[in-house]
């Protein structure tokens, strides 16, 4: 009687897991514009569920005492052992996939995965001796194990490592800036930004920023000594274009004259399709010797389903003058909901001031947009302030190296001569000063 109960318990576990797998797999397979990883995982889940159903049918056959000859249970078919093996592989896959689940979600996922593996191991111990071991069956079992494990590891690596680590994609930017005329004491300038996805796959724009800055340039003769030149290489620089050594002039801190976005948030860029935008700026004549125009764009793979139902929310954190955007990811995969968590977000940051000096209220000329991917959760709340600070802290990973950037400069006025007002605030420009 204990054996009969165990057989029906195994069959019931197959039916429960198989039914859940069919429902989740069919739902995810029917999603429109689903990423390849979701489609592959749903297909594998449907196949596993079918095998579990067939295995459950065979176990129910074994559980009928009328089929027992002399009180001895007949041997189970290889499909039942294959079902136990697939259940074990499903448990391993869920463990790897749930590593990034947040909070209590991770505990639930690990308990469910452990239950899958325990049931599979017990089933093999009970029914393993029913199968006559041959080289072909051993080879098939090893191949099945290798394929299942590889799929699980690949899905885990792609969803949780590759996509976040390669958030930025290869988008080429080019900018130009030229003086086109003068009007009512103002210089009229025309700027243009061109952009193109050159990465071979479509991307979605998370954020973009352009800035026009003006600088005063004063004559200042300085010898290119090792210590002076080395000072521009021995520290972390967010904008190498602006920080530089010049032996004949000195550039003052630039002033932001214009700033904004040049691409719509969430805009899809398809490969090899060029786009651009032109701007007209008015600048006070004679106020600046050097103008600098720069543009920067941050994009992610279009397979990341940025929400089209709710717009991102932007806010500033207490004691921080950066601007943060919270954009929901509409991942409709039920499997991802069960394993990772229902809520997934992308957090953007517009660096309006120097990130190392958050107390400053002066806009930085090095305006830049970056993004981070927090861990999925089941909570409907957006990421907390503590989590956001941790995401963008000193220990957080940098943005992808393919973050698009372009800049150009134009000289408008002759270099200024130092005057009496400058003597107290400019260093000596000759000799060892």
């Amino acid at each position: 009687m204990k054996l009969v109960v165990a057989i029906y318990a195994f069959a019931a576990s197959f039916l429960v897991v198989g039914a859940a797998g069919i429902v989740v797999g069919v739902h995810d397979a029917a999603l429109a514009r689903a990423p390849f990883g979701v489609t592959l995982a749903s297909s594998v889940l449907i196949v596993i569920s079918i095998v579990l159903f067939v295995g459950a049918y065979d176990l129910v056959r074994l559980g009928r005492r009328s089929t027992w000859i002399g009180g001895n249970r007949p041997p189970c078919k290889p499909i039942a052992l294959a079902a136990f093996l697939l259940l074990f592989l499903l448990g391993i896959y869920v463990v790897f996939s749930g590593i990034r689940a947040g909070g209590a979600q991770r505990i639930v996922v690990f308990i469910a995965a452990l239950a899958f593996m325990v049931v599979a191991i017990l089933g093999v111990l009970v029914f393993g001796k029913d199968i006559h071991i041959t080289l072909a069956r051993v080879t098939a079992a090893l191949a099945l194990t290798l394929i299942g494990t590889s799929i699980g590891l690949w899905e885990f690596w792609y969803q949780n490592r590759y996509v976040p680590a390669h958030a930025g994609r290869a988008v080429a930017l080019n900018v130009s800036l030229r003086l086109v005329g003068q009007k009512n004491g103002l210089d009229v300038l025309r700027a243009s930004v061109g952009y193109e996805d050159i990465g071979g796959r479509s991307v979605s724009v998370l954020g973009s920023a352009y800035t026009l800055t003006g600088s005063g340039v004063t004559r200042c003769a300085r010898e290119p000594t090792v210590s002076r030149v080395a000072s521009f290489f021995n520290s972390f620089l967010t904008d190498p274009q602006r920080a530089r050594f010049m032996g004949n002039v000195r550039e003052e801190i630039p002033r932001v004259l214009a700033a904004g976005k040049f691409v719509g948030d969430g805009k899809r860029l398809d490969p090899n399709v060029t786009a651009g935008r032109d701007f007209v700026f008015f600048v006070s004549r004679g106020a600046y010797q050097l103008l600098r125009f720069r543009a920067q764009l941050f994009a992610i793979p279009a397979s990341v389903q940025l929400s089209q139902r709710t717009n991102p929310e932007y806010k500033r954190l207490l004691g921080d003058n950066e601007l943060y955007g919270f954009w929901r990811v509409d991942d409709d995969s039920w499997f991802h909901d069960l394993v990772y968590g229902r809520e997934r977000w992308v957090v953007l940051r517009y660096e309006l001031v120097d990130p190392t000096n958050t107390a400053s209220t002066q806009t930085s000329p090095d305006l830049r947009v970056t993004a981070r991917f927090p861990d999925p959760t089941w909570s409907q709340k957006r990421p907390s302030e503590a989590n956001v600070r941790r995401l963008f802290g000193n220990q957080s990973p940098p943005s992808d190296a393919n973050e698009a950037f372009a800049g150009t400069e134009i000289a408008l006025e002759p270099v200024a001569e130092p005057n009496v007002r400058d003597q107290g605030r400019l260093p000596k420009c000759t000799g060892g000063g």
Side-chain angles (χ1 to χ4, degrees):
M1 182 57 64
K2 292 182 179 180
L3 182 57
V4 172
V5 172
I7 292 175
Y8 280 112
F10 285 133
S13 64
F14 281 178
L15 290 174
V16 171
V17 177
I22 284 290
V23 172
V24 173
V26 171
H27 173 272
D28 290 358
L31 291 176
R33 298 174 58 186
F36 175 72
V38 172
T39 303
L40 178 62
S42 61
S43 301
V44 172
L45 196 58
I46 292 174
V47 172
I48 292 177
S49 300
I50 293 174
V51 175
L52 291 177
F53 282 142
V54 177
Y57 174 80
D58 185 61
L59 292 180
V60 170
R61 176 186 62 84
L62 294 181
R64 293 197 296 267
R65 294 290 298 271
S66 58
T67 61
W68 294 22
I69 301 176
N72 296 320
R73 172 185 62 81
C76 69
K77 295 181 179 180
I79 190 65
L81 281 180
F84 283 115
L85 178 59
L86 290 177
L87 187 62
F88 183 81
L89 294 178
L90 180 61
I92 294 178
Y93 174 60
V94 172
V95 167
F96 277 107
S97 299
I99 288 178
R100 288 178 60 86
Q105 175 76 6
R106 178 179 299 178
I107 299 176
V108 174
V109 170
F110 282 170
I111 292 176
L114 182 62
F116 292 165
M117 291 186 286
V118 169
V119 170
I121 293 174
L122 292 177
V124 171
L125 292 177
V126 173
F127 301 104
K129 59 184 178 181
D130 292 355
I131 303 301
H132 178 64
I133 299 177
T134 63
L135 179 60
R137 288 176 176 173
V138 171
T139 303
L142 291 177
L144 184 62
T145 303
L146 180 61
I147 293 174
T149 304
S150 299
I151 292 175
L153 291 175
W154 179 87
E155 170 73 4
F156 164 75
W157 170 79
Y158 181 80
Q159 291 290 338
N160 301 305
R161 289 293 182 263
Y162 181 83
V163 171
H166 293 73
R169 282 299 181 94
V171 177
L173 286 181
N174 60 82
V175 298
S176 66
L177 179 67
R178 68 183 188 275
L179 178 66
V180 295
Q182 297 177 343
K183 186 175 183 179
N184 299 330
L186 298 173
D187 289 326
V188 183
L189 299 110
R190 181 177 295 276
S192 63
V193 181
Y195 51 93
E196 180 183 357
D197 175 14
I198 60 174
R201 293 185 179 181
S202 299
V203 298
S204 297
V205 176
L206 271 184
S208 61
Y210 72 82
T211 51
L212 176 70
T213 59
S215 305
V217 179
T218 306
R219 190 178 304 278
C220 179
R222 292 180 292 178
E223 292 294 330
T225 63
V226 172
S227 59
R228 286 200 185 99
V229 176
S231 65
F232 293 90
F233 294 90
N234 61 5
S235 60
F236 179 79
L237 298 177
T238 58
D239 186 5
Q241 181 191 30
R242 181 168 69 92
R244 60 191 176 188
F245 172 82
M246 290 187 288
N248 295 315
V249 296
R250 176 181 178 84
E251 180 185 359
E252 299 180 9
I253 298 177
R255 179 182 178 185
V256 176
L257 304 178
K261 300 179 182 181
F262 62 92
V263 184
D265 295 333
K267 179 179 176 61
R268 180 186 176 96
L269 304 182
D270 293 321
N272 304 319
V273 178
T274 60
R277 187 172 181 182
D278 294 332
F279 304 90
V280 173
F281 300 115
F282 296 89
V283 178
S284 297
R285 186 184 310 168
Y288 308 100
Q289 283 72 41
L290 180 66
L291 294 184
R292 181 179 294 112
F293 181 69
R294 54 172 286 165
Q296 183 256 340
L297 180 146
F298 197 96
I300 60 175
S303 57
V304 179
Q305 301 174 10
L306 297 173
S307 178
Q308 303 299 317
R309 298 190 290 265
T310 58
N311 293 329
E313 300 180 20
Y314 295 90
K315 64 172 295 185
R316 293 192 308 185
L317 305 184
L318 183 64
D320 190 339
N321 287 316
E322 313 293 354
L323 183 64
Y324 295 88
F326 300 86
W327 204 333
R328 191 187 302 271
V329 177
D330 286 340
D331 187 348
D332 296 324
S333 169
W334 284 0
F335 180 78
H336 288 174
D337 287 349
L338 293 173
V339 175
Y340 305 145
R342 183 174 55 184
E343 300 297 333
R344 279 172 286 281
W345 296 82
V346 179
V347 182
L348 298 80
R349 182 173 76 171
Y350 281 90
E351 297 178 357
L352 303 178
V353 300
D354 181 1
T356 62
N357 185 16
T358 56
S360 173
T361 59
Q362 183 64 40
T363 304
S364 170
D366 308 327
L367 196 143
R368 178 170 173 253
V369 56
T370 58
R372 297 287 188 272
F373 289 78
D375 291 339
T377 66
W378 266 85
S379 173
Q380 294 186 358
K381 297 181 179 179
R382 64 188 179 202
S384 64
E385 291 190 8
N387 191 13
V388 172
R389 296 184 190 278
R390 184 167 55 252
L391 287 172
F392 291 94
N394 294 331
Q395 303 300 322
S396 65
S399 300
D400 190 87
N402 290 329
E403 178 184 332
F405 167 84
T408 187
E409 299 174 346
I410 182 174
L412 285 183
E413 301 291 335
V415 174
E417 296 290 343
N419 53 39
V420 176
R421 179 177 57 86
D422 295 325
Q423 299 303 323
R425 60 190 183 92
L426 292 180
K428 295 181 180 180
C429 295
T430 58

